[in-house]
Amino acid sequence: TPGRMARAYAELFTPREFDLTTFPNDEGYDELVLARDIPIRSVCEHHLLPFTGVAHVGYLPGERIVGLSKLARIVEHFSCRPQVQERLTKQVADWLQDSLVPRGVGVVIEAEHSCMTLRGVRASGATTVTSTLLGCLRADARSRQEFFALSGVRA
């Protein structure tokens, strides 16, 4: 019914509130922190059809570290709106960079788009991979390779 559809869209497009919890990096941890296979669901802004997949989000700490659950919350926050995968990937990375000021940020999203698998080309099983790398994860080839290797993405 139209009412059910409206409630479904309201639920899909309303992210849960969260506060970014950060802590001083008292131990001086300077290695990669990575959350892999964060489930992602969003809706293609062009066709209003869902896309689902996983996000891999990592950062190289600076003076602060983040509560690990917040990496998944950030992904959820930006995916709860009509989106394109490219923008979503960049929004997650930029938000972490601006909020945490780490030495580097890496975000990879792998997703299957219903607008591509159920209609149009009907490329069942096809996935789209997007990445955004900032700071030393972009500039340093060894750090970039470590991020991709730990996230399970072939670089």
Side-chain angles (χ1 to χ4, degrees):
T1 65
R4 282 187 174 154
M5 198 66 196
R7 287 189 298 278
Y9 277 129
E11 180 182 336
L12 282 172
F13 299 150
T14 305
R16 293 180 287 180
E17 293 295 321
F18 76 97
D19 292 320
L20 183 67
T21 307
T22 67
F23 307 95
N25 187 6
D26 294 334
E27 291 77 28
Y29 188 79
D30 64 354
E31 298 293 329
L32 187 63
V33 176
L34 177 69
R36 280 194 313 211
D37 297 325
I38 299 168
I40 189 167
R41 63 169 177 76
S42 193
V43 173
C44 168
E45 71 179 30
H46 299 127
H47 303 99
L48 291 180
L49 289 170
F51 64 92
T52 59
V54 294
H56 314 292
V57 180
Y59 72 100
L60 284 164
E63 293 184 17
R64 301 201 59 84
I65 57 176
V66 66
L68 294 176
S69 68
K70 301 311 184 235
L71 297 175
R73 295 279 193 175
I74 294 163
V75 170
E76 177 188 275
H77 176 78
F78 286 108
S79 65
C80 282
R81 61 189 75 178
Q83 268 292 11
V84 295
Q85 185 174 329
E86 298 88 340
R87 182 185 317 117
L88 173 58
T89 308
K90 187 163 175 18
Q91 285 174 329
V92 171
D94 288 345
W95 197 88
L96 268 175
Q97 182 66 39
D98 294 343
S99 300
L100 194 57
V101 193
R103 294 180 299 119
V105 172
V107 177
V108 172
I109 296 178
E110 302 174 86
E112 184 173 302
H113 292 254
S114 297
C115 56
M116 193 166 105
T117 61
L118 298 177
R119 56 161 302 281
V121 69
R122 295 185 183 154
S124 181
T127 58
T128 300
V129 179
T130 52
S131 68
T132 297
L133 302 172
L134 303 173
C136 63
L137 288 182
R138 182 180 185 103
D140 180 61
R142 289 186 308 174
S143 296
R144 182 174 49 253
Q145 185 57 40
E146 179 185 15
F147 170 76
F148 285 132
L150 291 176
S151 66
V153 176
R154 288 174 289 163

